[in-house]
Amino acid sequence: MLQTPGAMTCALLFRLLLLMTLAALFQGKRFGPTSRLRYSRFLDPSDVIFLRWDFDLEAEIITFELQVRTAGWVGLGVTNRYTRVGSDLVVGGVLPDGNVYFSDQHLVDEDTLEEDGSQDAELQGLTEDAVYTTMRFSRPFRSCDAHDQDITSDTIRVLAAYGLDDTLKLDQDRTFVKSIFLLQIVHPDDLDVPEDTIIHDLELTDFLIPEDDTTYACTFLPLPIVSKKHHIFKFEPKLLKHNETMVHHILVYACGNASVLPMGISDCYGADPAFSLCSQVIVGWAVGGTSYQFPDDVGVSIGTPLDPQWIRLEIHYSNFHNVPGVYDSSGIRLYYTAKLRKYDMGVLQLGFFTFPIHFIPPGAESFLSYGLCKTEKFEEMNGVPVPDIQVYGYLLHTHLAGRALQAVQYRNGTQLRIICKDDFYDFNLQETRDLPYRMEIKQGDELLVECHYQTLDRDSLTFGGPSTINEMCLIFLFYYPRNNISSCMGYPDIIHVAHELGEEVSDSMEGMMAMNNVEWTPENIKKAEKACKEAQQTVIIKTIDEVVENTTGWIPEIIRAPRGPCLESSGGKVEPQDKTPAGFRAAPIALSGSSIATLRCLPLAALLFGQGALSWLLATLQVGV
């Protein structure tokens, strides 16, 4: 901690201000009016609204550039799942006389805007030509204005709107919401694409999609035949455009080389259990996802005696309109190379064991489910020592009732970290995401998955199962180095849950059937949630060779991550609850003795460095004026 003498000179103050200013200039990525923004997306079906963005994780500032085919006003902000009331919207435009207007606003009802008391968006550019109005601005991830929605590492529902003229009025036909994961850590342009890249497709061919609501189609296919070790480094979905709304997910499972596999295409989980063989996920895609390229130092190994030679391709079709005569040839395209990476990667499936114990009551505002994984048996089941694994990415998966998921890590009974989460999960945006840094899991750690559901629109129980109207609670962790463990999932003692709800049962099947007898009042919903959390969990661990072992455990408490500090704007009204001290992240510098000399220098400091720099210094030094 810096000790400052009472007679702090103006020269020392100026030197400190200069150093702070230089540090601000050279710290992190600063995106000016002409900096290239790496990420982009159309926000509407007609490709009228185009968004570019980029961000500085260290400074917690995000920069947007909105380009719209209009001569009127444009707006960009953040909304939530349920209502646009309270959404924030930064609006701007160019008047016929060439003057620009720009304002940080929020919605007081579905179509009425009101200016925020605190203006937290900083304009970097606003132009209009014969085709487009383009607005570029930056804003903090979290301002201290309660009217501003936070930018977080969750799914963000981006709100975009525009007008045909400069009258600021929302029109539902020109207002759009799109779910985007804004804080993508790795951009594909940052990754290496080997010159010797080879493509291999794993796909169904002219498969007639049944008229049933839900179909799980499985077949077994060989991986590329190579004479030496190669690495798969990228995958992407292959979807027929007119069928893409029917394809819910595609998974590729590695098969043990000792497996005896059936031929043809059949129901994955139907009469023939052979079509459910192979359970170690290699790659996966789900609704809303795109291609994914692994980090430059990891890949899926193929071509060695230890590597799988065959895979199970699983495609989940949702044909809710029971459309007949639809043929499909969807699948996964793999990109592989002889240029080897440092690590062989694997995928670990965590969560709630889907069937038959999982249930969610109807009419629930909120219901939490838990699946426990205990890694203490991993080495014994793997057959050889299991090194610590490094997790670098993840894929979250629930169905339509899912609202949020998280995976939490514990060591020696103490919560270590939240590995990954999404508090604003969107079923229509399921994609593989990179972690901000690699997270180590050691033998003996416990991993807990929590899934948050809402069933206010349902009047009957929702059970775990394969259909989109059933539910799942899964998180896939992408890690290295690879081992033979494919999944580690848990479920609660349903007999205990039934007894807590006043139902007399003697086995698990009776316990599940008894859930239909419960009157699902808000009190009983909370009682069921508490009973599921407090019940002993059975943990099921499976290897690539279909070896299964069980253990038991208890659900630990989750320490919720605190909301991060906010950044105060340079002016305007700040909500009282956010006033202190969250606006400043720097550790305070103690002043010993008198600060009179410092205060005498303040008017000149403000003149030379600006009021913003002065405010920064005062806050850091905790000097009152």
Side-chain angles (χ1 to χ4, degrees):
M1 190 170 289
L2 179 65
Q3 298 297 321
T4 308
M8 182 180 184
T9 65
C10 290
L12 180 59
L13 173 63
F14 294 154
R15 188 175 303 164
L16 182 56
L17 271 169
L18 181 60
L19 288 172
M20 290 172 124
T21 304
L22 290 172
L25 287 173
F26 292 104
Q27 174 185 343
K29 302 187 192 77
R30 300 300 183 196
F31 299 102
T34 59
S35 301
R36 184 179 76 90
L37 305 182
R38 295 176 297 164
Y39 304 95
S40 62
R41 196 76 50 88
F42 280 104
L43 302 183
D44 67 309
S46 302
D47 294 349
V48 171
I49 306 175
F50 187 63
L51 176 66
R52 295 184 180 89
W53 77 95
D54 214 325
F55 52 88
D56 182 343
L57 277 178
E58 191 172 355
E60 297 189 359
I61 299 290
I62 189 164
T63 300
F64 295 107
E65 183 175 277
L66 186 68
Q67 186 179 71
V68 186
R69 287 207 302 263
T70 184
W73 67 273
V74 298
L76 184 76
V78 179
T79 187
N80 64 59
R81 183 188 195 102
Y82 306 105
T83 177
R84 292 179 188 172
V85 177
S87 305
D88 70 55
L89 194 69
V90 174
V91 299
V94 181
L95 294 169
D97 62 7
N99 287 319
V100 302
Y101 54 95
F102 176 79
S103 178
D104 184 2
Q105 307 207 4
H106 63 276
L107 275 71
V108 294
D109 56 39
E110 287 289 339
D111 55 11
T112 305
L113 287 164
E114 182 177 286
E115 188 170 75
D116 293 1
S118 175
Q119 293 294 297
D120 298 285
E122 180 180 330
L123 180 63
Q124 293 187 355
L126 191 46
T127 61
E128 181 184 300
D129 59 25
V131 181
Y132 299 107
T133 295
T134 303
M135 177 175 69
R136 182 171 175 137
F137 67 93
S138 62
R139 55 151 289 182
F141 288 179
R142 183 194 171 202
S143 78
C144 296
D145 184 355
H147 291 305
D148 291 341
Q149 305 288 326
D150 292 355
I151 303 292
T152 63
S153 57
D154 307 284
T155 297
I156 302 297
R157 286 168 172 81
V158 175
L159 174 65
Y162 69 97
L164 300 179
D165 56 31
D166 293 304
T167 304
L168 283 178
K169 183 173 177 55
L170 286 178
D171 185 323
Q172 298 307 311
D173 293 335
R174 289 185 286 277
T175 304
F176 302 91
V177 176
K178 191 174 187 68
S179 290
I180 304 177
F181 180 52
L182 289 173
L183 301 185
Q184 302 175 51
I185 302 301
V186 179
H187 190 280
D189 291 350
D190 300 332
L191 298 172
D192 176 52
V193 178
E195 293 181 358
D196 65 343
T197 296
I198 310 168
I199 292 174
H200 182 81
D201 291 336
L202 302 168
E203 60 190 0
L204 298 180
T205 303
D206 294 328
F207 174 70
L208 178 61
I209 301 175
E211 296 175 39
D212 302 329
D213 289 354
T214 298
T215 299
Y216 274 71
C218 276
T219 192
F220 295 89
L221 299 169
L223 283 168
I225 299 173
V226 289
S227 59
K228 62 179 182 178
K229 180 171 180 174
H230 286 61
H231 269 136
I232 298 168
F233 68 90
K234 178 182 176 180
F235 66 89
E236 65 187 17
K238 284 194 68 182
L239 303 173
L240 297 184
K241 190 167 182 62
H242 60 283
N243 294 345
E244 59 187 7
T245 58
M246 290 188 180
V247 181
H248 170 275
H249 76 241
I250 305 173
L251 289 173
V252 176
Y253 296 91
C255 297
N257 291 333
S259 303
V260 178
L261 306 175
M263 302 295 289
I265 303 172
S266 187
D267 187 342
C268 304
Y269 307 104
D272 187 349
F275 279 88
S276 64
L277 289 173
C278 312
S279 58
Q280 188 172 61
V281 174
I282 297 179
V283 297
W285 169 91
V287 176
T290 55
S291 64
Y292 179 73
Q293 185 168 332
F294 304 126
D296 288 339
D297 57 348
V298 301
V300 177
S301 178
I302 56 173
T304 80
L306 296 177
D307 296 329
Q309 299 171 18
W310 286 75
I311 59 91
R312 172 165 64 95
L313 177 68
E314 172 185 296
I315 302 184
H316 174 188
Y317 294 99
S318 294
N319 188 1
F320 286 120
H321 298 295
N322 309 118
V323 180
V326 179
Y327 289 85
D328 186 61
S329 298
S330 293
I332 290 283
R333 171 164 287 180
L334 304 177
Y335 295 77
Y336 66 101
T337 175
K339 184 180 178 182
L340 298 183
R341 275 102 192 286
K342 186 175 182 179
Y343 302 109
D344 297 339
M345 61 149 289
V347 180
L348 177 63
Q349 180 176 326
L350 306 174
F352 196 118
F353 197 78
T354 300
F355 185 81
I357 300 301
H358 198 191
F359 75 92
I360 302 158
E365 174 72 36
S366 171
F367 189 82
L368 299 177
S369 293
Y370 298 90
L372 180 66
C373 168
K374 301 185 70 169
T375 68
E376 59 194 24
K377 286 181 174 283
F378 278 18
E379 190 163 298
E380 173 191 337
M381 295 182 67
N382 196 59
V384 295
V386 176
D388 299 338
I389 66 174
Q390 308 292 326
V391 180
Y392 67 85
Y394 62 96
L395 172 66
L396 312 177
H397 183 65
T398 76
H399 290 172
L400 295 172
R403 297 295 182 266
L405 302 87
Q406 63 176 333
V408 187
Q409 180 182 6
Y410 300 83
R411 184 170 297 159
N412 300 323
T414 301
Q415 181 173 321
L416 189 62
R417 61 168 68 93
I418 295 173
I419 298 174
C420 57
K421 73 174 185 68
D422 192 342
D423 289 336
F424 307 112
Y425 174 82
D426 187 340
F427 170 82
N428 293 305
L429 184 65
Q430 301 181 52
E431 56 190 354
T432 303
R433 298 175 176 177
D434 294 291
L435 291 170
Y437 59 90
R438 296 177 184 187
M439 301 185 184
E440 185 175 74
I441 297 175
K442 292 180 174 293
Q443 171 92 359
D445 287 354
E446 292 188 348
L447 307 171
L448 178 64
V449 172
E450 178 191 73
C451 292
H452 177 197
Y453 300 98
Q454 186 184 86
T455 57
L456 291 174
D457 58 343
R458 304 188 183 193
D459 55 13
S460 61
L461 279 164
T462 299
F463 292 104
S467 171
T468 305
I469 59 174
N470 296 137
E471 264 309 329
M472 291 187 174
C473 174
L474 302 174
I475 293 182
F476 300 89
L477 297 183
F478 290 69
Y479 72 91
Y480 65 85
R482 180 188 69 188
N483 59 55
N484 289 328
I485 306 299
S486 60
S487 63
C488 182
M489 299 188 287
Y491 65 87
D493 178 1
I494 194 64
I495 299 175
H496 168 82
V497 176
H499 288 168
E500 292 296 304
L501 292 169
E503 300 292 329
E504 291 300 322
V505 301
S506 58
D507 59 38
S508 295
M509 186 60 68
E510 286 185 5
M512 284 301 292
M513 293 177 64
M515 296 302 106
N516 289 302
N517 302 331
V518 177
E519 181 184 358
W520 290 111
T521 62
E523 294 76 17
N524 279 337
I525 290 171
K526 284 301 171 189
K527 188 182 290 186
E529 180 183 275
K530 183 173 184 288
C532 287
K533 184 177 180 182
E534 294 177 349
Q536 187 178 57
Q537 284 246 330
T538 297
V539 180
I540 301 176
I541 308 167
K542 186 182 286 189
T543 72
I544 187 174
D545 296 310
E546 306 298 318
V547 176
V548 179
E549 285 202 23
N550 295 354
T551 185
T552 57
W554 303 91
I555 300 297
E557 288 296 325
I558 296 176
I559 301 172
R560 306 290 168 178
R563 192 177 178 210
C566 64
L567 289 177
E568 291 198 58
S569 66
S570 57
K573 178 179 176 292
V574 175
E575 299 301 319
Q577 65 268 25
D578 285 326
K579 192 80 171 173
T580 60
F584 303 97
R585 282 186 289 274
I589 301 174
L591 289 175
S592 60
S594 170
S595 297
I596 295 175
T598 303
L599 296 177
R600 285 174 180 161
C601 298
L602 295 183
L604 185 55
L607 178 65
L608 291 177
F609 291 95
Q611 188 63 43
L614 180 58
S615 299
W616 180 17
L617 179 68
L618 290 177
T620 305
L621 299 181
Q622 292 188 335
V623 176
V625 290

